[in-house]
Amino acid sequence: MNNSTASDSIYNLPFALLCLSSLLFSASFNMLIPDLPAYLSGLGGAEYKGLIIALFTLTAGISRPFSGKLTDTIGRVPVMAVGSIVCFVCGFLYPILGTVAGFLFLRLIHGFSTGFKPTATAAYVADIIPRERWGEALGIHGLCFSTGMAIGPAIGSFISGLYSINVLFYSSSALALLSIIILMNMKETLKDRKKFSLSILKISRKDIIDVRVLPAAIVTLLSYVGYGVILTLIPDWSGYIGLANKGIFFMVFTISSLLIRFIAGKVSDKYGRLNVAICGLTILCASLVITGYGTSEAGLITGAVIYGIGAGVLSPALNAWTIDLSHPQHRGKAMATMYIALEAGIGLGALFAGWAYQDVVFMIPPILYCTAGVAFMALVYMVIWKKRAMSFRGGDSD
């Protein structure tokens, strides 16, 4: 349980270290994304582009029940460290395993990074921040994570262009190492810790999904299908339109989400998670249509800006809603459930995009329009859920 009071400042050293570690972690794996499709094609695996993201999210999703249970037993910090260590190791192995099979195997392994660190990070935030300010804190943390998403692809594309893809891989490892060093100086917040044993890794059905947070998980899954599609298609779409730096879209949409995340988090604390999330989903739907329709640099950048605003509004509200619905003793499992849905959404989006795309660039707009339809399903579900919740609680939906 967190012992903070509502008057405590969230701007303290533990929270600052957590945010910095997440920024470096996010930059570490996101800086690779723009160059991986071309790299895989160079290895002779162009037909496997959809697996670049899908394999990554597969192991991230599979590992969530384990990371959630470990977060609630051995502690938050060790689980966060595992995520950063995986990024560190994989960066060095990509140049060594220089075959299609080796690359795809590493994408599987690399997925364990996001399967572990974000789960424990969200639980750590809930431990050190008072409940009344969870939305604000998660918004600020999301701002830092998004900063890593913004600078990572742009810096990665610059490094690979100026030096080589191998230097890019090593740079990814270097950022992960800095994240590990920061984590080594953070204090554990879980009170009743257990020593690690193999028996802890035994997972039962009740350890996999926290049914209390399923409404938030369903919305998360449907809304993140679009992100999987974007990660898979936007590098090629950017090249077709004429953007030399394939990381520009990612940089623009992430920067546009930075300040809005901070504002959206505070607004969700005041006006309710559901109201803010519905607003975010509406913007998200519109952005996917605009991105598909914009066949010029200006159109693509406009889509990126609006997508960033939608994601920035939606993400902290969904994270805080998940914690709201969870039991304090099972925050790790609750966040794992939400992230399983997130990874499933991204993975399904990537698989769908890879299957429908087949290197036919004119298929990209229709794929984006279909993805907007999936996000609209999330919007409809949330509106219905809110109405039922208001009816059950006499008008108070959150």
Side-chain angles (χ1 to χ4, degrees):
M1 294 288 291
N2 111 43
N3 297 317
S4 303
T5 65
S7 61
D8 289 338
S9 173
I10 67 174
Y11 304 100
N12 50 43
L13 183 59
F15 185 61
L17 289 174
L18 185 72
C19 288
L20 180 57
S21 173
S22 291
L23 187 156
L24 293 167
F25 170 76
S26 175
S28 171
F29 71 89
N30 277 292
M31 70 191 302
L32 303 178
I33 290 174
D35 288 276
L36 291 183
Y39 177 72
L40 182 57
S41 293
L43 294 176
E47 66 270 30
Y48 300 113
K49 285 183 180 179
L51 295 179
I52 291 174
I53 303 301
L55 291 176
F56 187 94
T57 56
L58 175 63
T59 43
I62 291 173
S63 65
R64 295 291 183 189
F66 298 95
S67 65
K69 188 172 183 180
L70 289 170
T71 295
D72 292 332
T73 51
I74 69 170
R76 323 307 198 192
V77 175
V79 175
M80 287 191 286
V82 169
S84 293
I85 290 170
V86 170
C87 279
F88 173 74
V89 173
C90 285
F92 279 103
L93 292 180
Y94 278 113
I96 297 173
L97 301 181
T99 64
V100 172
F103 173 84
L104 296 178
F105 170 73
L106 276 179
R107 290 307 290 169
L108 269 173
I109 301 301
H110 208 159
F112 283 106
S113 61
T114 57
F116 275 74
K117 193 174 189 307
T119 302
T121 296
Y124 195 96
V125 169
D127 288 344
I128 64 174
I129 302 298
R131 180 189 181 93
E132 294 81 4
R133 301 183 71 181
W134 279 347
E136 179 183 358
L138 289 166
I140 294 172
H141 175 266
L143 185 153
C144 295
F145 194 91
S146 296
T147 299
M149 291 176 64
I151 64 176
I155 292 175
S157 187
F158 174 78
I159 291 173
S160 64
L162 188 62
Y163 298 103
S164 68
I165 189 73
N166 285 351
V167 174
L168 171 60
F169 290 137
Y170 299 143
S171 299
S172 173
S173 286
L175 292 185
L177 178 61
L178 292 175
S179 176
I180 295 167
I181 292 172
I182 291 171
L183 291 171
M184 290 171 61
N185 291 281
M186 293 178 61
K187 182 180 178 181
E188 179 56 54
T189 57
L190 183 64
K191 301 302 181 184
D192 300 319
R193 297 177 61 191
K194 298 179 182 178
K195 289 185 178 181
F196 174 78
S197 65
L198 291 177
S199 63
I200 295 178
L201 296 178
K202 185 178 180 181
I203 299 293
S204 64
R205 260 185 268 179
K206 68 178 183 180
D207 294 321
I208 298 176
I209 298 295
D210 187 345
V211 295
R212 294 169 62 115
V213 303
L214 278 180
I218 291 170
V219 174
T220 299
L221 187 153
L222 294 173
S223 61
Y224 273 88
V225 167
Y227 191 54
V229 170
I230 281 176
L231 289 174
T232 304
L233 300 183
I234 289 302
D236 284 1
W237 190 229
S238 299
Y240 170 76
I241 286 175
L243 287 174
N245 189 323
K246 295 178 181 179
I248 291 296
F249 180 95
F250 299 97
M251 181 180 71
V252 171
F253 98 68
T254 311
I255 289 176
S256 75
S257 76
L258 294 183
L259 291 179
I260 201 70
R261 282 177 182 269
F262 174 71
I263 297 169
K266 296 184 73 171
V267 171
S268 77
D269 286 335
K270 186 174 182 180
Y271 296 105
R273 320 299 189 199
L274 302 187
N275 294 326
V276 174
I278 287 171
C279 178
L281 283 169
T282 303
I283 298 171
L284 207 66
C285 292
S287 71
L288 290 166
V289 173
I290 291 169
T291 301
Y293 186 77
T295 54
S296 65
E297 292 185 16
L300 188 65
I301 297 302
T302 300
V305 170
I306 298 175
Y307 184 85
I309 294 172
V313 169
L314 181 63
S315 179
L318 285 182
N319 287 342
W321 188 30
T322 301
I323 297 176
D324 287 343
L325 294 172
S326 69
H327 188 282
Q329 293 182 344
H330 300 293
R331 283 174 182 158
K333 181 169 70 171
M335 294 311 302
T337 300
M338 191 272 286
Y339 279 116
I340 287 172
L342 183 149
E343 303 293 356
I346 295 174
L348 289 172
L351 283 174
F352 166 68
W355 169 78
Y357 175 39
Q358 296 293 320
D359 276 351
V360 179
V361 73
F362 298 109
M363 284 298 299
I364 292 179
I367 294 171
L368 288 169
Y369 300 151
C370 289
T371 306
V374 176
F376 183 73
M377 290 170 58
L379 176 61
V380 171
Y381 173 85
M382 176 153 270
V383 170
I384 293 173
W385 200 93
K386 180 188 175 185
K387 286 182 178 180
R388 289 180 177 176
M390 290 179 68
S391 174
F392 181 73
R393 299 178 187 178
D396 183 8
S397 62
D398 292 316

